[in-house]
Amino acid sequence: HYFDRGDYKKAKENFLLAIKTGSELPEAYYNMGFLLHKIPRSEEDLNEAILYYNKTIEIKPEYQRAHQRLAEIYMENGRDLAKVRYHLEKLIELGTSDPSIYYNLSLVSHLLGSDIEALHWAEEGLILTEDDLQAVALFEDLIVKIKSE
């Protein structure tokens, strides 16, 4: 695989060929978005990655990795917290049990001024991590922070 070997130019050519020949393959759009998102990038590359991830979701709305990558892009430098929240909520709706999704959703809800939501997501995450003392401590610290501000 060209991407794994760091041959991004060849990887990009192959992903574009896959898109051209199998236009409804969500993996092809996802991989192209991932390439543009993860290589040393410009603002233009990030905007293009967003388009490819959105096309992935248009073809296959339950494509969790595309929602997660969009949340990452929108979270970078506080780019668009409302969109971060949307994609994190989508991941939960799609059945993720990843505690980091709940933690980030709690944090984003707090930053958007929705402390009731923030506490709800932190408490849900706390339930998911009850056997992980380090994660429990993180969620408890977040809950204290939300309540104190």
Side-chain angles (χ1 to χ4, degrees):
H1 297 252
Y2 295 109
F3 183 84
D4 295 333
R5 292 194 304 247
D7 189 348
Y8 302 130
K9 183 179 179 190
K10 196 72 165 160
K12 186 175 184 177
E13 289 171 11
N14 281 349
F15 295 150
L16 288 171
L17 181 62
I19 288 167
K20 187 176 179 181
T21 58
S23 62
E24 292 304 307
L25 288 172
E27 290 78 13
Y29 289 94
Y30 173 81
N31 287 335
M32 190 61 195
F34 187 78
L35 173 75
L36 292 165
H37 178 196
K38 294 300 179 179
I39 60 171
R41 58 192 190 264
S42 66
E43 190 67 23
E44 184 179 315
D45 287 338
L46 274 181
N47 290 333
E48 226 181 310
I50 290 168
L51 294 174
Y52 281 107
Y53 287 143
N54 279 322
K55 180 66 176 178
T56 303
I57 292 168
E58 181 184 315
I59 296 168
K60 188 175 180 182
E62 69 278 8
Y63 205 102
Q64 289 189 26
R65 290 182 301 163
H67 285 288
Q68 187 156 355
R69 299 297 180 208
L70 282 167
E72 286 174 17
I73 290 173
Y74 291 127
M75 182 72 116
E76 291 171 2
N77 302 319
R79 196 180 176 100
D80 190 333
L81 295 179
K83 287 183 180 176
V84 173
R85 180 170 55 188
Y86 170 81
H87 288 288
L88 294 176
E89 286 176 344
K90 245 345 191 184
L91 285 164
I92 290 171
E93 194 179 296
L94 292 169
T96 189
S97 58
D98 179 349
S100 70
I101 300 300
Y102 288 82
Y103 185 88
N104 289 330
L105 185 52
S106 177
L107 192 59
V108 166
S109 296
H110 175 63
L111 292 171
L112 289 169
S114 303
D115 286 344
I116 292 172
E117 264 184 62
L119 287 170
H120 166 75
W121 294 121
E123 288 165 358
E124 290 288 317
L126 193 56
I127 292 166
L128 284 174
T129 60
E130 63 189 355
D131 295 331
D132 180 343
L133 294 179
Q134 188 176 16
V136 166
L138 282 172
F139 277 107
E140 287 177 344
D141 287 348
L142 180 60
I143 290 169
V144 168
K145 179 182 176 179
I146 292 167
K147 287 181 176 180
S148 69
E149 289 184 2

